[in-house]
Short mmCIF file of all heavy atoms in Angstrom, two decimals:
data_model
loop_
_atom_site.label_atom_id
_atom_site.label_comp_id
_atom_site.label_asym_id
_atom_site.label_seq_id
_atom_site.Cartn_x
_atom_site.Cartn_y
_atom_site.Cartn_z
N VAL A 41 8.98 7.57 -5.61
CA VAL A 41 10.14 8.36 -6.14
C VAL A 41 9.58 9.40 -7.10
O VAL A 41 8.52 9.22 -7.74
CB VAL A 41 11.12 7.45 -6.90
CG1 VAL A 41 11.85 6.49 -5.98
CG2 VAL A 41 10.45 6.72 -8.03
N GLU A 43 10.42 12.21 -10.43
CA GLU A 43 11.05 12.08 -11.74
C GLU A 43 12.59 12.23 -11.66
O GLU A 43 13.36 11.57 -12.37
CB GLU A 43 10.49 13.11 -12.74
CG GLU A 43 9.08 12.92 -13.12
CD GLU A 43 8.93 11.68 -13.99
OE1 GLU A 43 9.94 11.20 -14.56
OE2 GLU A 43 7.80 11.15 -14.08
N THR A 45 14.56 11.29 -9.32
CA THR A 45 15.15 10.02 -8.83
C THR A 45 15.18 9.01 -9.96
O THR A 45 16.21 8.29 -10.12
CB THR A 45 14.34 9.48 -7.67
OG1 THR A 45 14.23 10.46 -6.64
CG2 THR A 45 15.00 8.22 -7.08
N ALA A 46 14.11 8.93 -10.72
CA ALA A 46 14.07 7.99 -11.82
C ALA A 46 15.18 8.32 -12.85
O ALA A 46 15.85 7.41 -13.36
CB ALA A 46 12.69 8.03 -12.51
N ARG A 47 15.40 9.62 -13.15
CA ARG A 47 16.48 9.98 -14.10
C ARG A 47 17.86 9.64 -13.52
O ARG A 47 18.74 9.20 -14.23
CB ARG A 47 16.41 11.47 -14.38
CG ARG A 47 15.24 11.84 -15.29
CD ARG A 47 15.40 13.29 -15.81
NE ARG A 47 15.48 14.27 -14.72
CZ ARG A 47 14.44 14.88 -14.20
NH1 ARG A 47 13.22 14.65 -14.63
NH2 ARG A 47 14.62 15.77 -13.23
N GLY A 48 18.02 9.90 -12.21
CA GLY A 48 19.31 9.63 -11.61
C GLY A 48 19.67 8.15 -11.64
O GLY A 48 20.81 7.80 -11.89
N LEU A 49 18.68 7.27 -11.38
CA LEU A 49 18.97 5.84 -11.35
C LEU A 49 18.93 5.22 -12.74
O LEU A 49 19.47 4.12 -12.96
CB LEU A 49 17.95 5.14 -10.46
CG LEU A 49 18.09 5.38 -8.96
CD1 LEU A 49 16.91 4.83 -8.19
CD2 LEU A 49 19.38 4.79 -8.45
N GLY A 50 18.29 5.91 -13.70
CA GLY A 50 18.24 5.42 -15.08
C GLY A 50 17.16 4.37 -15.29
O GLY A 50 17.21 3.67 -16.32
N TYR A 51 16.16 4.29 -14.37
CA TYR A 51 15.05 3.34 -14.51
C TYR A 51 13.76 4.10 -14.63
O TYR A 51 13.63 5.18 -14.03
CB TYR A 51 14.97 2.41 -13.29
CG TYR A 51 16.12 1.44 -13.13
CD1 TYR A 51 17.19 1.71 -12.30
CD2 TYR A 51 16.12 0.20 -13.80
CE1 TYR A 51 18.22 0.82 -12.12
CE2 TYR A 51 17.12 -0.70 -13.62
CZ TYR A 51 18.21 -0.39 -12.80
OH TYR A 51 19.21 -1.29 -12.59
N PRO A 52 12.72 3.48 -15.26
CA PRO A 52 11.37 4.06 -15.16
C PRO A 52 10.89 3.91 -13.71
O PRO A 52 11.33 3.06 -12.98
CB PRO A 52 10.54 3.20 -16.12
CG PRO A 52 11.53 2.51 -16.99
CD PRO A 52 12.78 2.35 -16.20
N LYS A 53 9.94 4.75 -13.34
CA LYS A 53 9.43 4.69 -11.97
C LYS A 53 8.89 3.28 -11.60
O LYS A 53 9.12 2.79 -10.51
CB LYS A 53 8.30 5.69 -11.79
CG LYS A 53 8.72 7.11 -11.62
CD LYS A 53 7.49 7.95 -11.38
CE LYS A 53 7.86 9.38 -11.05
NZ LYS A 53 6.64 10.17 -10.73
N ALA A 54 8.18 2.72 -12.56
CA ALA A 54 7.60 1.38 -12.29
C ALA A 54 8.64 0.32 -11.94
O ALA A 54 8.33 -0.64 -11.24
CB ALA A 54 6.74 0.94 -13.52
N LYS A 55 9.86 0.49 -12.48
CA LYS A 55 10.95 -0.47 -12.19
C LYS A 55 11.63 -0.22 -10.86
O LYS A 55 12.44 -1.03 -10.41
CB LYS A 55 11.96 -0.38 -13.31
CG LYS A 55 11.46 -0.82 -14.69
CD LYS A 55 11.24 -2.32 -14.74
CE LYS A 55 10.83 -2.77 -16.17
NZ LYS A 55 10.63 -4.22 -16.22
N ILE A 56 11.30 0.92 -10.25
CA ILE A 56 11.92 1.26 -8.98
C ILE A 56 10.98 0.96 -7.80
O ILE A 56 11.41 0.45 -6.79
CB ILE A 56 12.33 2.75 -8.98
CG1 ILE A 56 13.31 3.03 -10.10
CG2 ILE A 56 12.89 3.16 -7.63
CD1 ILE A 56 13.65 4.51 -10.25
N ARG A 59 10.77 -2.05 -5.01
CA ARG A 59 12.08 -2.67 -4.83
C ARG A 59 12.69 -2.17 -3.54
O ARG A 59 12.26 -1.17 -2.95
CB ARG A 59 12.99 -2.36 -6.00
CG ARG A 59 12.59 -3.02 -7.28
CD ARG A 59 13.54 -2.66 -8.42
NE ARG A 59 14.87 -3.24 -8.21
CZ ARG A 59 15.87 -3.13 -9.07
NH1 ARG A 59 15.66 -2.49 -10.25
NH2 ARG A 59 17.04 -3.66 -8.82
N ASP A 63 18.89 -2.62 -2.98
CA ASP A 63 19.23 -3.06 -4.29
C ASP A 63 20.14 -2.07 -5.07
O ASP A 63 20.81 -2.42 -6.00
CB ASP A 63 17.96 -3.31 -5.14
CG ASP A 63 17.16 -4.50 -4.60
OD1 ASP A 63 17.73 -5.27 -3.82
OD2 ASP A 63 15.97 -4.61 -4.97
N PHE A 64 20.08 -0.77 -4.63
CA PHE A 64 20.80 0.28 -5.38
C PHE A 64 22.07 0.73 -4.66
O PHE A 64 22.84 1.54 -5.22
CB PHE A 64 19.87 1.43 -5.61
CG PHE A 64 18.65 1.11 -6.41
CD1 PHE A 64 17.41 0.88 -5.76
CD2 PHE A 64 18.69 0.98 -7.76
CE1 PHE A 64 16.29 0.53 -6.46
CE2 PHE A 64 17.52 0.64 -8.49
CZ PHE A 64 16.34 0.43 -7.83
N GLU A 96 24.56 2.56 -7.47
CA GLU A 96 24.87 2.12 -8.84
C GLU A 96 23.64 2.36 -9.71
O GLU A 96 22.52 1.98 -9.32
CB GLU A 96 25.26 0.65 -8.88
CG GLU A 96 25.73 0.16 -10.23
CD GLU A 96 26.24 -1.27 -10.18
OE1 GLU A 96 25.44 -2.20 -10.24
OE2 GLU A 96 27.48 -1.45 -9.99
N THR A 97 23.85 2.94 -10.92
CA THR A 97 22.71 3.21 -11.79
C THR A 97 22.45 1.99 -12.68
O THR A 97 23.14 0.97 -12.63
CB THR A 97 23.04 4.43 -12.69
OG1 THR A 97 24.13 4.08 -13.57
CG2 THR A 97 23.41 5.60 -11.85
N ARG A 98 21.44 2.14 -13.50
CA ARG A 98 21.06 1.03 -14.42
C ARG A 98 22.22 0.66 -15.34
O ARG A 98 22.39 -0.51 -15.69
CB ARG A 98 19.83 1.47 -15.23
CG ARG A 98 19.31 0.35 -16.15
CD ARG A 98 18.07 0.88 -16.88
NE ARG A 98 17.48 -0.17 -17.73
CZ ARG A 98 16.43 0.03 -18.44
NH1 ARG A 98 15.83 1.22 -18.49
NH2 ARG A 98 15.94 -0.96 -19.20
N ARG A 99 23.05 1.65 -15.73
CA ARG A 99 24.15 1.40 -16.67
C ARG A 99 25.46 0.99 -15.93
O ARG A 99 26.49 0.91 -16.52
CB ARG A 99 24.46 2.69 -17.49
CG ARG A 99 23.30 3.04 -18.40
CD ARG A 99 23.64 4.29 -19.17
NE ARG A 99 22.54 4.67 -20.08
CZ ARG A 99 22.59 5.74 -20.91
NH1 ARG A 99 23.65 6.51 -20.93
NH2 ARG A 99 21.54 6.00 -21.69
N GLY A 100 25.32 0.73 -14.67
CA GLY A 100 26.46 0.30 -13.90
C GLY A 100 27.41 1.39 -13.44
O GLY A 100 28.52 1.11 -12.99
#
Side-chain angles (χ1 to χ4, degrees):
V41 292
E43 291 292 340
T45 305
R47 288 193 301 269
L49 290 171
Y51 291 96
K53 282 184 174 182
K55 296 288 186 179
I56 300 174
R59 292 181 65 177
D63 292 344
F64 300 99
E96 187 174 83
T97 66
R98 183 179 183 180
R99 296 180 179 180

